Amino acid sequence: MMFVVVPAVFMAISGYLICRRLVELRRLIVIWRRGDHAEGRCLHTYTTRRSKSDGRTFTTRHHAFEFTTRNGERVRFEETDGPRTVGQGDFVPVTYLTNRPDRATARPRKEVREYLLAAGEIAFLMLFFAFAVSFLWSAQEFVPL
């Protein structure tokens, strides 16, 4: 049973992460291509750290921004892994969709970079998925399905 459940869970997790990355990439590209621009201000920045059991730590930088839309609505949003050069009180260009200003971004438009990053992440997850499929396939010899 474990030879079937564990690879199936790995396949489900990697499939979910692939879909989530594709949705996030599409959302960002749509905002960059169709969005309106406004001047935003960084309200504050903070970092979060995650520690792994092997002693490694991962740091994520968060920014909280505020901007005013064309129709006068004041919007606040947070974004992770923004530029390290942006600090509290700095003015930044913000791109947003008029129907969803809460999904704004202050990331500079770098479509090629985002495509390459997404391709690398998806390739890694596809390898993970393929490994789970091959493990499941080879487990048929030991456990009848």
Side-chain angles (χ1 to χ4, degrees):
M1 184 71 157
M2 191 167 110
F3 290 108
V4 175
V5 172
V6 172
V9 168
F10 284 171
M11 290 166 56
I13 290 171
S14 60
Y16 168 75
L17 291 174
I18 288 170
C19 291
R20 194 173 105 182
R21 181 61 171 120
L22 287 172
V23 167
E24 175 63 24
L25 176 66
R26 185 182 184 309
R27 182 187 74 82
L28 192 59
I29 298 300
V30 166
I31 290 171
W32 280 338
R33 289 185 180 172
R34 298 183 188 159
D36 288 334
H37 302 284
E39 183 175 59
R41 185 170 187 173
C42 180
L43 299 175
H44 66 278
T45 63
Y46 63 96
T47 58
T48 55
R49 289 190 180 180
R50 292 183 300 133
S51 297
K52 296 286 186 173
S53 59
D54 60 359
R56 294 182 296 161
T57 60
F58 298 93
T59 303
T60 304
R61 186 175 178 96
H62 303 265
H63 291 89
F65 296 103
E66 182 178 65
F67 70 98
T68 304
T69 63
R70 285 189 181 175
N71 61 3
E73 179 184 356
R74 185 167 270 178
V75 179
R76 290 183 179 190
F77 70 98
E78 281 196 24
E79 199 166 40
T80 58
D81 292 330
R84 296 183 186 273
T85 57
V86 174
Q88 184 174 349
D90 290 347
F91 289 95
V92 294
V94 173
T95 308
Y96 67 97
L97 295 174
T98 52
N99 59 342
R100 291 299 306 262
D102 57 317
R103 291 188 176 179
T105 184
R107 290 184 188 176
R109 185 174 179 165
K110 296 181 180 177
E111 289 184 35
V112 173
R113 180 180 181 272
E114 284 297 321
Y115 281 126
L116 292 175
L117 284 173
E121 291 173 19
I122 290 169
F124 174 76
L125 291 168
M126 291 296 285
L127 284 174
F128 195 69
F129 188 88
F131 173 75
V133 168
S134 68
F135 186 81
L136 187 63
W137 187 266
S138 64
Q140 287 181 1
E141 297 176 18
F142 303 109
V143 179
L145 296 177

